[in-house]
Amino acid sequence: MVTIREEKFADIAAREVLLDQAYGASRFAKASERLREGRVPADGLSLVAVERGRIVGTVRLWHVTAGPGCAALLLGPLAVDPAHRNRGIGTALMRCAIARARLAGHRAIVLVGDAAYYSRFGFTAAPTGELWMPGRFERDRLLALELHPDALAGTRGLIAATGALAPKPDLNLLIAASHGARRLQQARLKRAA
Ligand SMILES: CC(C)(COP(=O)(O)OP(=O)(O)OC[C@H]1O[C@@H](n2cnc3c(N)ncnc32)[C@H](O)[C@@H]1OP(=O)(O)O)[C@@H](O)C(=O)NCCC(=O)NCCS
């Protein structure tokens, strides 16, 4: 049985593998990535699909402003393990994410993706005609779902990141960890000699 739950720290490595499988290295070049890098996702809106302890799907939502003063969420990336596609896992993740966003009082969700897939959840390009991504994007793939009626009406401008900044890794800790790993490696080599 597939369960949808909030992402935990321990899920990160499996999630990265899944995203590499779904999108390849080009995922880091996307305009959406410019809105995610260095930020933390919206509270309670990083979800994973799990089956028999394995991560088989992922979705995250991020705080943005869709034009000046218009708070919204950016959805993505959404990905399902290739071996588990067409079983409704993407749909379950999307429905759960939208329901949670609505419950938390968010007003609108934007994303860049295939309208042929996202239209089933109510996303259209109609409310995004006057919005721009920070980088190259295809206008007919910039979609939105208004959770409040006309939440994006009249909005115009750049979509920009507004989420909290992710904590920077502590350089001293990284150096200590790398020294520790080197010492461990040297001790192992000594024992083996
Ligand atoms: C898109 C994705 C998340 C769908 O996950 P999934 O669990 O297979 O989706 P579901 O089982 O809920 O839905 C399957 C349906 O979506 C359709 N579908 C899947 N990807 C689609 C796409 N890019 N465009 C249109 N329809 C699509 C399938 O044909 C199927 O249609 P049906 O219900 O008429 O049979 C998954 O295919 C994936 O990770 N793809 C790689 C990354 C990607 O393309 N992400 C988002 C699209 S921009």
Side-chain angles (χ1 to χ4, degrees):
M1 198 183 79
V2 177
T3 311
I4 309 292
R5 62 156 169 81
E6 278 185 40
E7 188 186 307
K8 300 179 196 163
F9 186 74
D11 299 329
I12 288 175
R15 178 179 175 275
E16 288 298 311
V17 171
L18 205 159
L19 291 174
D20 281 343
Q21 282 177 329
Y23 293 98
S26 69
R27 70 187 169 104
F28 297 109
K30 290 177 187 291
S32 299
E33 192 58 25
R34 304 289 77 80
L35 298 170
R36 301 190 282 249
E37 60 194 354
R39 305 276 170 171
V40 295
D43 262 1
L45 291 172
S46 293
L47 304 175
V48 289
V50 184
E51 188 170 50
R52 285 188 225 106
R54 277 201 58 209
I55 306 291
V56 293
T58 172
V59 69
R60 281 180 175 180
L61 289 98
W62 309 77
H63 290 290
V64 291
T65 179
C70 186
L73 292 167
L74 172 81
L75 185 144
L78 167 72
V80 171
D81 183 328
H84 294 269
R85 290 192 186 155
N86 295 308
R87 296 177 50 203
I89 297 173
T91 299
L93 281 166
M94 284 298 295
R95 294 210 188 288
C96 185
I98 293 167
R100 278 172 166 249
R102 200 186 291 279
L103 203 65
H106 295 288
R107 297 177 56 80
I109 305 176
V110 296
L111 62 81
V112 179
D114 296 340
Y117 184 67
Y118 290 106
S119 60
R120 70 194 67 196
F121 310 109
F123 285 82
T124 76
T128 66
E130 300 289 314
L131 293 173
W132 283 263
M133 289 291 286
R136 287 166 66 102
F137 70 101
E138 294 165 66
R139 177 145 298 286
D140 57 348
R141 289 168 55 80
L142 180 55
L143 312 174
L145 171 68
E146 293 172 309
L147 303 174
H148 283 235
D150 296 329
L152 297 174
T155 189
R156 183 165 199 271
L158 192 67
I159 299 178
T162 54
L165 294 175
K168 288 209 171 74
D170 181 325
L171 190 57
N172 289 328
L173 283 179
L174 288 176
I175 292 168
S178 102
H179 284 176
R182 204 174 309 138
R183 271 201 299 274
L184 206 67
Q185 175 82 350
Q186 280 164 353
R188 275 200 196 119
L189 290 173
K190 223 176 185 174
R191 271 202 303 275

